[in-house]
Amino acid sequence: QVQLVETGGGSVQAGGSLRLSCLASGYTYSRFSTGAWFRQLPGKEREGVAAIDNDGTTTYAEFVKGRFTISKDNAKNTLYLQMNSLIPDDTAIYYCAAGAYVADKLAPHEYNYWGPGTQVTVSA
């Protein structure tokens, strides 16, 4: 059974940084075509933040380009999201996801497996 668990969320002031991690068990990231991070703001739909393919190709939402970096360590079976220059609008629950056949990298419906989420709060 595939399980994804996010860690690294928390509270930070604007301008600060956090690194989220997502450990996969029951499956290896190298067998998924794509790993990704999504977020859900209060009262809004889940939105794609960043994705990374098995060949290392990355995709970013416009609102995080230049601030966030997605990476993965297949040996540790872990997906990461380095978040720098955080702003209050980044406050959300962040979810990691993995998919076997992903066409639209930042579309939630493309992903088969999800973690429970981790809260990120950025104060002004």
Side-chain angles (χ1 to χ4, degrees):
Q1 182 179 355
V2 177
Q3 285 191 322
L4 305 177
V5 179
E6 305 94 341
T7 56
S11 297
V12 65
Q13 288 190 324
S17 299
L18 285 172
R19 188 174 83 153
L20 305 183
S21 300
C22 177
L23 176 65
S25 60
Y27 215 70
T28 59
Y29 267 117
S30 61
R31 297 182 67 180
F32 292 113
S33 72
T34 308
W37 290 94
F38 291 79
R39 70 185 189 185
Q40 190 159 16
L41 284 68
K44 296 192 175 182
E45 294 186 354
R46 196 167 297 188
E47 60 184 1
V49 174
I52 185 166
D53 294 333
N54 266 347
D55 66 359
T57 301
T58 56
T59 304
Y60 293 95
E62 284 296 323
F63 53 80
V64 301
K65 279 186 179 179
R67 299 190 300 125
F68 292 9
T69 303
I70 189 170
S71 62
K72 64 189 177 91
D73 186 332
N74 286 337
K76 295 182 178 179
N77 223 23
T78 302
L79 185 71
Y80 301 100
L81 184 68
Q82 178 67 44
M83 305 187 295
N84 299 328
S85 302
L86 284 160
I87 60 176
D89 283 352
D90 292 323
T91 295
I93 299 174
Y94 283 73
Y95 300 88
C96 66
Y101 305 101
V102 176
D104 187 348
K105 308 297 183 184
L106 299 182
H109 70 267
E110 296 272 5
Y111 291 84
N112 311 98
Y113 303 102
W114 292 85
T118 185
Q119 176 71 47
V120 170
T121 302
V122 184
S123 58

